[in-house]
PDB file of all heavy atoms in Angstrom:
ATOM      1  N   ARG A 172      80.495  54.436 114.137  1.00  0.00           N
ATOM      2  CA  ARG A 172      81.843  53.961 114.380  1.00  0.00           C
ATOM      3  C   ARG A 172      82.172  53.639 115.841  1.00  0.00           C
ATOM      4  O   ARG A 172      81.769  54.429 116.657  1.00  0.00           O
ATOM      5  CB  ARG A 172      82.864  54.973 113.838  1.00  0.00           C
ATOM      6  CG  ARG A 172      84.305  54.698 114.235  1.00  0.00           C
ATOM      7  CD  ARG A 172      85.203  55.670 113.477  1.00  0.00           C
ATOM      8  NE  ARG A 172      86.579  55.504 114.023  1.00  0.00           N
ATOM      9  CZ  ARG A 172      87.671  56.129 113.475  1.00  0.00           C
ATOM     10  NH1 ARG A 172      87.542  56.862 112.242  1.00  0.00           N
ATOM     11  NH2 ARG A 172      88.891  55.974 113.861  1.00  0.00           N
ATOM     12  N   PHE A 173      82.747  52.484 116.005  1.00  0.00           N
ATOM     13  CA  PHE A 173      83.046  52.033 117.361  1.00  0.00           C
ATOM     14  C   PHE A 173      84.649  51.753 117.356  1.00  0.00           C
ATOM     15  O   PHE A 173      85.045  50.870 116.608  1.00  0.00           O
ATOM     16  CB  PHE A 173      82.365  50.819 117.815  1.00  0.00           C
ATOM     17  CG  PHE A 173      80.871  50.947 117.967  1.00  0.00           C
ATOM     18  CD1 PHE A 173      79.962  50.927 116.958  1.00  0.00           C
ATOM     19  CD2 PHE A 173      80.349  51.318 119.245  1.00  0.00           C
ATOM     20  CE1 PHE A 173      78.646  51.083 117.133  1.00  0.00           C
ATOM     21  CE2 PHE A 173      78.986  51.553 119.429  1.00  0.00           C
ATOM     22  CZ  PHE A 173      78.154  51.374 118.313  1.00  0.00           C
ATOM     23  N   ASP A 174      85.385  52.523 118.204  1.00  0.00           N
ATOM     24  CA  ASP A 174      86.781  52.337 118.228  1.00  0.00           C
ATOM     25  C   ASP A 174      87.135  51.335 119.471  1.00  0.00           C
ATOM     26  O   ASP A 174      86.893  51.708 120.683  1.00  0.00           O
ATOM     27  CB  ASP A 174      87.498  53.627 118.524  1.00  0.00           C
ATOM     28  CG  ASP A 174      87.566  54.456 117.265  1.00  0.00           C
ATOM     29  OD1 ASP A 174      86.499  55.241 117.113  1.00  0.00           O
ATOM     30  OD2 ASP A 174      88.425  54.396 116.525  1.00  0.00           O
ATOM     31  N   LEU A 175      87.598  50.130 119.195  1.00  0.00           N
ATOM     32  CA  LEU A 175      87.996  49.213 120.105  1.00  0.00           C
ATOM     33  C   LEU A 175      89.423  49.535 120.475  1.00  0.00           C
ATOM     34  O   LEU A 175      90.318  49.541 119.689  1.00  0.00           O
ATOM     35  CB  LEU A 175      87.889  47.772 119.638  1.00  0.00           C
ATOM     36  CG  LEU A 175      86.484  47.160 119.620  1.00  0.00           C
ATOM     37  CD1 LEU A 175      85.587  47.811 118.500  1.00  0.00           C
ATOM     38  CD2 LEU A 175      86.518  45.693 119.494  1.00  0.00           C
ATOM     39  N   ARG A 176      89.680  49.680 121.879  1.00  0.00           N
ATOM     40  CA  ARG A 176      90.959  50.123 122.311  1.00  0.00           C
ATOM     41  C   ARG A 176      91.817  48.841 122.620  1.00  0.00           C
ATOM     42  O   ARG A 176      91.246  47.814 122.877  1.00  0.00           O
ATOM     43  CB  ARG A 176      90.912  50.932 123.543  1.00  0.00           C
ATOM     44  CG  ARG A 176      89.857  52.133 123.433  1.00  0.00           C
ATOM     45  CD  ARG A 176      89.364  52.730 124.659  1.00  0.00           C
ATOM     46  NE  ARG A 176      88.365  53.695 124.410  1.00  0.00           N
ATOM     47  CZ  ARG A 176      87.614  54.216 125.399  1.00  0.00           C
ATOM     48  NH1 ARG A 176      87.566  53.613 126.698  1.00  0.00           N
ATOM     49  NH2 ARG A 176      86.728  55.174 125.176  1.00  0.00           N
ATOM     50  N   PRO A 177      93.086  49.064 122.667  1.00  0.00           N
ATOM     51  CA  PRO A 177      94.053  47.922 123.233  1.00  0.00           C
ATOM     52  C   PRO A 177      93.658  47.574 124.686  1.00  0.00           C
ATOM     53  O   PRO A 177      93.280  48.369 125.492  1.00  0.00           O
ATOM     54  CB  PRO A 177      95.421  48.665 123.210  1.00  0.00           C
ATOM     55  CG  PRO A 177      95.360  49.704 122.186  1.00  0.00           C
ATOM     56  CD  PRO A 177      93.936  50.170 122.337  1.00  0.00           C
ATOM     57  N   ILE A 178      93.576  46.294 124.924  1.00  0.00           N
ATOM     58  CA  ILE A 178      93.043  45.731 126.195  1.00  0.00           C
ATOM     59  C   ILE A 178      94.213  45.962 127.224  1.00  0.00           C
ATOM     60  O   ILE A 178      95.443  45.705 126.978  1.00  0.00           O
ATOM     61  CB  ILE A 178      92.757  44.271 126.009  1.00  0.00           C
ATOM     62  CG1 ILE A 178      91.729  44.083 124.998  1.00  0.00           C
ATOM     63  CG2 ILE A 178      92.249  43.723 127.306  1.00  0.00           C
ATOM     64  CD1 ILE A 178      91.383  42.698 124.625  1.00  0.00           C
ATOM     65  N   PRO A 179      93.876  46.481 128.399  1.00  0.00           N
ATOM     66  CA  PRO A 179      94.802  46.796 129.544  1.00  0.00           C
ATOM     67  C   PRO A 179      95.585  45.461 129.896  1.00  0.00           C
ATOM     68  O   PRO A 179      95.084  44.327 129.884  1.00  0.00           O
ATOM     69  CB  PRO A 179      94.018  47.359 130.595  1.00  0.00           C
ATOM     70  CG  PRO A 179      92.810  47.901 130.007  1.00  0.00           C
ATOM     71  CD  PRO A 179      92.534  46.893 128.831  1.00  0.00           C
ATOM     72  N   ALA A 180      96.803  45.598 130.142  1.00  0.00           N
ATOM     73  CA  ALA A 180      97.674  44.425 130.561  1.00  0.00           C
ATOM     74  C   ALA A 180      97.120  43.704 131.783  1.00  0.00           C
ATOM     75  O   ALA A 180      97.196  42.525 131.784  1.00  0.00           O
ATOM     76  CB  ALA A 180      99.114  44.858 130.724  1.00  0.00           C
ATOM     77  N   PRO A 181      96.693  44.417 132.841  1.00  0.00           N
ATOM     78  CA  PRO A 181      96.176  43.512 133.943  1.00  0.00           C
ATOM     79  C   PRO A 181      94.874  42.748 133.576  1.00  0.00           C
ATOM     80  O   PRO A 181      94.690  41.645 134.060  1.00  0.00           O
ATOM     81  CB  PRO A 181      95.761  44.613 134.956  1.00  0.00           C
ATOM     82  CG  PRO A 181      96.592  45.773 134.558  1.00  0.00           C
ATOM     83  CD  PRO A 181      96.673  45.855 133.149  1.00  0.00           C
ATOM     84  N   VAL A 182      94.063  43.206 132.669  1.00  0.00           N
ATOM     85  CA  VAL A 182      92.890  42.453 132.133  1.00  0.00           C
ATOM     86  C   VAL A 182      93.370  41.181 131.375  1.00  0.00           C
ATOM     87  O   VAL A 182      92.878  40.030 131.638  1.00  0.00           O
ATOM     88  CB  VAL A 182      92.008  43.343 131.347  1.00  0.00           C
ATOM     89  CG1 VAL A 182      90.747  42.486 130.761  1.00  0.00           C
ATOM     90  CG2 VAL A 182      91.474  44.425 132.065  1.00  0.00           C
ATOM     91  N   ILE A 183      94.330  41.324 130.485  1.00  0.00           N
ATOM     92  CA  ILE A 183      94.933  40.261 129.715  1.00  0.00           C
ATOM     93  C   ILE A 183      95.477  39.259 130.718  1.00  0.00           C
ATOM     94  O   ILE A 183      95.298  38.024 130.611  1.00  0.00           O
ATOM     95  CB  ILE A 183      95.971  40.757 128.736  1.00  0.00           C
ATOM     96  CG1 ILE A 183      95.200  41.641 127.664  1.00  0.00           C
ATOM     97  CG2 ILE A 183      96.636  39.569 128.077  1.00  0.00           C
ATOM     98  CD1 ILE A 183      96.237  42.170 126.603  1.00  0.00           C
ATOM     99  N   ALA A 184      96.308  39.728 131.664  1.00  0.00           N
ATOM    100  CA  ALA A 184      96.972  38.746 132.623  1.00  0.00           C
ATOM    101  C   ALA A 184      95.961  38.009 133.486  1.00  0.00           C
ATOM    102  O   ALA A 184      96.093  36.806 133.595  1.00  0.00           O
ATOM    103  CB  ALA A 184      97.983  39.552 133.530  1.00  0.00           C
ATOM    104  N   SER A 185      94.883  38.711 133.985  1.00  0.00           N
ATOM    105  CA  SER A 185      93.885  38.008 134.703  1.00  0.00           C
ATOM    106  C   SER A 185      93.124  36.868 133.795  1.00  0.00           C
ATOM    107  O   SER A 185      92.824  35.803 134.238  1.00  0.00           O
ATOM    108  CB  SER A 185      92.812  38.989 135.109  1.00  0.00           C
ATOM    109  OG  SER A 185      91.845  38.335 135.840  1.00  0.00           O
ATOM    110  N   HIS A 186      92.845  37.216 132.555  1.00  0.00           N
ATOM    111  CA  HIS A 186      92.251  36.218 131.616  1.00  0.00           C
ATOM    112  C   HIS A 186      93.145  35.087 131.382  1.00  0.00           C
ATOM    113  O   HIS A 186      92.720  33.918 131.373  1.00  0.00           O
ATOM    114  CB  HIS A 186      91.810  36.832 130.389  1.00  0.00           C
ATOM    115  CG  HIS A 186      90.917  36.072 129.466  1.00  0.00           C
ATOM    116  ND1 HIS A 186      89.731  35.565 129.873  1.00  0.00           N
ATOM    117  CD2 HIS A 186      91.153  35.710 128.177  1.00  0.00           C
ATOM    118  CE1 HIS A 186      89.244  34.845 128.838  1.00  0.00           C
ATOM    119  NE2 HIS A 186      90.140  34.947 127.858  1.00  0.00           N
ATOM    120  N   LEU A 187      94.541  35.267 131.239  1.00  0.00           N
ATOM    121  CA  LEU A 187      95.393  34.210 131.027  1.00  0.00           C
ATOM    122  C   LEU A 187      95.433  33.334 132.239  1.00  0.00           C
ATOM    123  O   LEU A 187      95.557  32.027 132.075  1.00  0.00           O
ATOM    124  CB  LEU A 187      96.800  34.797 130.717  1.00  0.00           C
ATOM    125  CG  LEU A 187      96.900  35.519 129.380  1.00  0.00           C
ATOM    126  CD1 LEU A 187      98.320  36.000 129.296  1.00  0.00           C
ATOM    127  CD2 LEU A 187      96.595  34.675 128.193  1.00  0.00           C
ATOM    128  N   MET A 188      95.404  33.781 133.398  1.00  0.00           N
ATOM    129  CA  MET A 188      95.346  33.026 134.642  1.00  0.00           C
ATOM    130  C   MET A 188      94.203  32.179 134.661  1.00  0.00           C
ATOM    131  O   MET A 188      94.172  31.003 135.160  1.00  0.00           O
ATOM    132  CB  MET A 188      95.496  33.935 135.921  1.00  0.00           C
ATOM    133  CG  MET A 188      96.775  34.779 136.033  1.00  0.00           C
ATOM    134  SD  MET A 188      98.194  33.668 136.252  1.00  0.00           S
ATOM    135  CE  MET A 188      97.816  33.091 137.885  1.00  0.00           C
ATOM    136  N   SER A 189      93.038  32.747 134.230  1.00  0.00           N
ATOM    137  CA  SER A 189      91.723  31.928 134.168  1.00  0.00           C
ATOM    138  C   SER A 189      91.810  30.777 133.177  1.00  0.00           C
ATOM    139  O   SER A 189      91.399  29.667 133.423  1.00  0.00           O
ATOM    140  CB  SER A 189      90.573  32.915 133.813  1.00  0.00           C
ATOM    141  OG  SER A 189      89.323  32.130 133.652  1.00  0.00           O
ATOM    142  N   ILE A 190      92.385  31.099 132.023  1.00  0.00           N
ATOM    143  CA  ILE A 190      92.525  30.019 131.049  1.00  0.00           C
ATOM    144  C   ILE A 190      93.492  28.939 131.498  1.00  0.00           C
ATOM    145  O   ILE A 190      93.237  27.731 131.411  1.00  0.00           O
ATOM    146  CB  ILE A 190      93.138  30.636 129.644  1.00  0.00           C
ATOM    147  CG1 ILE A 190      91.966  31.522 129.085  1.00  0.00           C
ATOM    148  CG2 ILE A 190      93.449  29.543 128.690  1.00  0.00           C
ATOM    149  CD1 ILE A 190      92.552  32.249 127.833  1.00  0.00           C
ATOM    150  N   ALA A 191      94.623  29.381 132.185  1.00  0.00           N
ATOM    151  CA  ALA A 191      95.514  28.275 132.640  1.00  0.00           C
ATOM    152  C   ALA A 191      94.824  27.475 133.785  1.00  0.00           C
ATOM    153  O   ALA A 191      95.028  26.278 133.856  1.00  0.00           O
ATOM    154  CB  ALA A 191      96.709  29.054 133.284  1.00  0.00           C
ATOM    155  N   ALA A 192      94.011  27.999 134.576  1.00  0.00           N
ATOM    156  CA  ALA A 192      93.318  27.288 135.663  1.00  0.00           C
ATOM    157  C   ALA A 192      92.408  26.264 134.986  1.00  0.00           C
ATOM    158  O   ALA A 192      92.241  25.083 135.450  1.00  0.00           O
ATOM    159  CB  ALA A 192      92.538  28.228 136.525  1.00  0.00           C
ATOM    160  N   ARG A 193      91.720  26.681 133.871  1.00  0.00           N
ATOM    161  CA  ARG A 193      90.780  25.782 133.222  1.00  0.00           C
ATOM    162  C   ARG A 193      91.557  24.537 132.553  1.00  0.00           C
ATOM    163  O   ARG A 193      91.020  23.407 132.471  1.00  0.00           O
ATOM    164  CB  ARG A 193      89.996  26.429 132.163  1.00  0.00           C
ATOM    165  CG  ARG A 193      89.020  27.481 132.717  1.00  0.00           C
ATOM    166  CD  ARG A 193      88.236  28.171 131.618  1.00  0.00           C
ATOM    167  NE  ARG A 193      87.561  29.432 132.058  1.00  0.00           N
ATOM    168  CZ  ARG A 193      86.833  30.142 131.161  1.00  0.00           C
ATOM    169  NH1 ARG A 193      86.710  29.826 129.963  1.00  0.00           N
ATOM    170  NH2 ARG A 193      86.305  31.273 131.668  1.00  0.00           N
ATOM    171  N   GLU A 194      92.723  24.944 132.044  1.00  0.00           N
ATOM    172  CA  GLU A 194      93.509  23.919 131.294  1.00  0.00           C
ATOM    173  C   GLU A 194      94.347  23.048 132.252  1.00  0.00           C
ATOM    174  O   GLU A 194      95.121  22.215 131.879  1.00  0.00           O
ATOM    175  CB  GLU A 194      94.406  24.562 130.273  1.00  0.00           C
ATOM    176  CG  GLU A 194      93.674  25.268 129.188  1.00  0.00           C
ATOM    177  CD  GLU A 194      92.962  24.175 128.246  1.00  0.00           C
ATOM    178  OE1 GLU A 194      93.521  23.088 128.090  1.00  0.00           O
ATOM    179  OE2 GLU A 194      91.905  24.662 127.803  1.00  0.00           O
ATOM    180  N   GLY A 195      94.291  23.290 133.529  1.00  0.00           N
ATOM    181  CA  GLY A 195      95.224  22.587 134.520  1.00  0.00           C
ATOM    182  C   GLY A 195      96.687  22.963 134.407  1.00  0.00           C
ATOM    183  O   GLY A 195      97.525  22.137 134.647  1.00  0.00           O
ATOM    184  N   VAL A 196      96.968  24.219 134.068  1.00  0.00           N
ATOM    185  CA  VAL A 196      98.311  24.721 133.906  1.00  0.00           C
ATOM    186  C   VAL A 196      98.741  25.586 135.044  1.00  0.00           C
ATOM    187  O   VAL A 196      97.931  26.510 135.350  1.00  0.00           O
ATOM    188  CB  VAL A 196      98.610  25.323 132.533  1.00  0.00           C
ATOM    189  CG1 VAL A 196      99.934  25.889 132.375  1.00  0.00           C
ATOM    190  CG2 VAL A 196      98.291  24.392 131.354  1.00  0.00           C
ATOM    191  N   THR A 197      99.881  25.398 135.646  1.00  0.00           N
ATOM    192  CA  THR A 197     100.369  26.348 136.686  1.00  0.00           C
ATOM    193  C   THR A 197     101.150  27.495 135.999  1.00  0.00           C
ATOM    194  O   THR A 197     102.195  27.336 135.493  1.00  0.00           O
ATOM    195  CB  THR A 197     101.217  25.655 137.615  1.00  0.00           C
ATOM    196  OG1 THR A 197     100.593  24.496 138.274  1.00  0.00           O
ATOM    197  CG2 THR A 197     101.681  26.543 138.835  1.00  0.00           C
ATOM    198  N   LEU A 198     100.454  28.664 136.008  1.00  0.00           N
ATOM    199  CA  LEU A 198     101.013  29.875 135.356  1.00  0.00           C
ATOM    200  C   LEU A 198     101.307  30.848 136.591  1.00  0.00           C
ATOM    201  O   LEU A 198     100.369  31.291 137.275  1.00  0.00           O
ATOM    202  CB  LEU A 198     100.131  30.505 134.321  1.00  0.00           C
ATOM    203  CG  LEU A 198     100.523  31.686 133.694  1.00  0.00           C
ATOM    204  CD1 LEU A 198     101.708  31.467 132.875  1.00  0.00           C
ATOM    205  CD2 LEU A 198      99.316  32.293 132.862  1.00  0.00           C
ATOM    206  N   SER A 199     102.565  31.324 136.582  1.00  0.00           N
ATOM    207  CA  SER A 199     102.919  32.309 137.682  1.00  0.00           C
ATOM    208  C   SER A 199     102.310  33.698 137.252  1.00  0.00           C
ATOM    209  O   SER A 199     102.132  33.992 136.006  1.00  0.00           O
ATOM    210  CB  SER A 199     104.381  32.335 137.876  1.00  0.00           C
ATOM    211  OG  SER A 199     105.041  32.861 136.736  1.00  0.00           O
ATOM    212  N   GLU A 200     101.987  34.484 138.229  1.00  0.00           N
ATOM    213  CA  GLU A 200     101.604  35.935 137.978  1.00  0.00           C
ATOM    214  C   GLU A 200     102.647  36.671 137.216  1.00  0.00           C
ATOM    215  O   GLU A 200     102.148  37.508 136.344  1.00  0.00           O
ATOM    216  CB  GLU A 200     101.202  36.466 139.281  1.00  0.00           C
ATOM    217  CG  GLU A 200     100.103  35.827 140.041  1.00  0.00           C
ATOM    218  CD  GLU A 200      99.622  36.640 141.408  1.00  0.00           C
ATOM    219  OE1 GLU A 200     100.395  37.659 141.539  1.00  0.00           O
ATOM    220  OE2 GLU A 200      98.752  36.172 142.012  1.00  0.00           O
ATOM    221  N   GLU A 201     103.894  36.495 137.547  1.00  0.00           N
ATOM    222  CA  GLU A 201     104.984  37.266 136.885  1.00  0.00           C
ATOM    223  C   GLU A 201     104.897  36.858 135.378  1.00  0.00           C
ATOM    224  O   GLU A 201     105.157  37.689 134.485  1.00  0.00           O
ATOM    225  CB  GLU A 201     106.329  37.054 137.396  1.00  0.00           C
ATOM    226  CG  GLU A 201     106.457  37.583 138.859  1.00  0.00           C
ATOM    227  CD  GLU A 201     105.766  36.604 139.889  1.00  0.00           C
ATOM    228  OE1 GLU A 201     105.416  35.554 139.514  1.00  0.00           O
ATOM    229  OE2 GLU A 201     105.670  37.025 141.085  1.00  0.00           O
ATOM    230  N   ALA A 202     104.765  35.547 135.037  1.00  0.00           N
ATOM    231  CA  ALA A 202     104.796  35.112 133.646  1.00  0.00           C
ATOM    232  C   ALA A 202     103.557  35.680 132.978  1.00  0.00           C
ATOM    233  O   ALA A 202     103.663  36.160 131.820  1.00  0.00           O
ATOM    234  CB  ALA A 202     104.833  33.634 133.606  1.00  0.00           C
ATOM    235  N   ALA A 203     102.397  35.705 133.628  1.00  0.00           N
ATOM    236  CA  ALA A 203     101.196  36.227 133.026  1.00  0.00           C
ATOM    237  C   ALA A 203     101.342  37.711 132.644  1.00  0.00           C
ATOM    238  O   ALA A 203     100.957  38.281 131.639  1.00  0.00           O
ATOM    239  CB  ALA A 203      99.974  35.968 133.860  1.00  0.00           C
ATOM    240  N   ALA A 204     101.906  38.438 133.700  1.00  0.00           N
ATOM    241  CA  ALA A 204     102.082  39.934 133.434  1.00  0.00           C
ATOM    242  C   ALA A 204     103.110  40.109 132.357  1.00  0.00           C
ATOM    243  O   ALA A 204     102.899  41.101 131.531  1.00  0.00           O
ATOM    244  CB  ALA A 204     102.581  40.552 134.788  1.00  0.00           C
ATOM    245  N   ARG A 205     104.123  39.285 132.236  1.00  0.00           N
ATOM    246  CA  ARG A 205     105.116  39.426 131.131  1.00  0.00           C
ATOM    247  C   ARG A 205     104.452  39.187 129.768  1.00  0.00           C
ATOM    248  O   ARG A 205     104.647  39.940 128.735  1.00  0.00           O
ATOM    249  CB  ARG A 205     106.276  38.485 131.328  1.00  0.00           C
ATOM    250  CG  ARG A 205     107.440  38.700 130.245  1.00  0.00           C
ATOM    251  CD  ARG A 205     107.927  39.984 130.082  1.00  0.00           C
ATOM    252  NE  ARG A 205     108.452  40.526 131.329  1.00  0.00           N
ATOM    253  CZ  ARG A 205     109.675  40.294 131.722  1.00  0.00           C
ATOM    254  NH1 ARG A 205     110.504  39.481 131.018  1.00  0.00           N
ATOM    255  NH2 ARG A 205     110.044  40.789 132.832  1.00  0.00           N
ATOM    256  N   ILE A 206     103.689  38.166 129.652  1.00  0.00           N
ATOM    257  CA  ILE A 206     102.967  37.794 128.395  1.00  0.00           C
ATOM    258  C   ILE A 206     102.060  39.025 128.034  1.00  0.00           C
ATOM    259  O   ILE A 206     101.947  39.447 126.865  1.00  0.00           O
ATOM    260  CB  ILE A 206     102.207  36.501 128.611  1.00  0.00           C
ATOM    261  CG1 ILE A 206     103.123  35.343 128.753  1.00  0.00           C
ATOM    262  CG2 ILE A 206     101.317  36.328 127.299  1.00  0.00           C
ATOM    263  CD1 ILE A 206     102.481  34.058 129.105  1.00  0.00           C
ATOM    264  N   ALA A 207     101.366  39.522 129.013  1.00  0.00           N
ATOM    265  CA  ALA A 207     100.448  40.736 128.691  1.00  0.00           C
ATOM    266  C   ALA A 207     101.126  41.857 128.264  1.00  0.00           C
ATOM    267  O   ALA A 207     100.694  42.556 127.276  1.00  0.00           O
ATOM    268  CB  ALA A 207      99.623  40.944 130.002  1.00  0.00           C
ATOM    269  N   ARG A 208     102.378  42.148 128.842  1.00  0.00           N
ATOM    270  CA  ARG A 208     103.114  43.360 128.276  1.00  0.00           C
ATOM    271  C   ARG A 208     103.640  43.087 126.847  1.00  0.00           C
ATOM    272  O   ARG A 208     103.645  44.048 126.103  1.00  0.00           O
ATOM    273  CB  ARG A 208     104.296  43.716 129.296  1.00  0.00           C
ATOM    274  CG  ARG A 208     103.886  44.225 130.580  1.00  0.00           C
ATOM    275  CD  ARG A 208     105.005  44.938 131.224  1.00  0.00           C
ATOM    276  NE  ARG A 208     106.111  44.068 131.543  1.00  0.00           N
ATOM    277  CZ  ARG A 208     106.286  43.363 132.634  1.00  0.00           C
ATOM    278  NH1 ARG A 208     105.342  43.387 133.508  1.00  0.00           N
ATOM    279  NH2 ARG A 208     107.275  42.588 132.819  1.00  0.00           N
ATOM    280  N   VAL A 209     104.126  41.898 126.555  1.00  0.00           N
ATOM    281  CA  VAL A 209     104.589  41.599 125.256  1.00  0.00           C
ATOM    282  C   VAL A 209     103.472  41.695 124.187  1.00  0.00           C
ATOM    283  O   VAL A 209     103.645  41.954 123.067  1.00  0.00           O
ATOM    284  CB  VAL A 209     105.318  40.319 125.231  1.00  0.00           C
ATOM    285  CG1 VAL A 209     105.775  39.904 123.818  1.00  0.00           C
ATOM    286  CG2 VAL A 209     106.468  40.351 126.183  1.00  0.00           C
ATOM    287  N   ALA A 210     102.242  41.175 124.660  1.00  0.00           N
ATOM    288  CA  ALA A 210     101.115  41.161 123.667  1.00  0.00           C
ATOM    289  C   ALA A 210     100.647  42.541 123.303  1.00  0.00           C
ATOM    290  O   ALA A 210     100.065  42.736 122.214  1.00  0.00           O
ATOM    291  CB  ALA A 210      99.944  40.375 124.408  1.00  0.00           C
ATOM    292  N   ASP A 211     101.050  43.637 124.074  1.00  0.00           N
ATOM    293  CA  ASP A 211     100.722  44.944 123.695  1.00  0.00           C
ATOM    294  C   ASP A 211      99.238  45.270 123.394  1.00  0.00           C
ATOM    295  O   ASP A 211      98.930  45.869 122.274  1.00  0.00           O
ATOM    296  CB  ASP A 211     101.590  45.374 122.510  1.00  0.00           C
ATOM    297  CG  ASP A 211     101.660  46.843 122.320  1.00  0.00           C
ATOM    298  OD1 ASP A 211     101.487  47.646 123.319  1.00  0.00           O
ATOM    299  OD2 ASP A 211     102.081  47.305 121.294  1.00  0.00           O
ATOM    300  N   GLY A 212      98.454  44.740 124.371  1.00  0.00           N
ATOM    301  CA  GLY A 212      96.903  45.182 124.198  1.00  0.00           C
ATOM    302  C   GLY A 212      96.210  44.181 123.347  1.00  0.00           C
ATOM    303  O   GLY A 212      94.960  44.334 123.118  1.00  0.00           O
TER     304      GLY A 212
END
Side-chain angles (χ1 to χ4, degrees):
R172 173 170 170 169
F173 293 88
D174 287 89
L175 281 76
R176 305 162 186 166
I178 303 175
V182 176
I183 296 179
S185 177
H186 188 57
L187 293 179
M188 296 293 292
S189 176
I190 293 176
R193 296 182 194 178
E194 296 290 331
V196 176
T197 302
L198 177 65
S199 66
E200 295 183 359
E201 293 79 8
R205 178 57 56 83
I206 296 173
R208 288 200 300 271
V209 176
D211 195 19

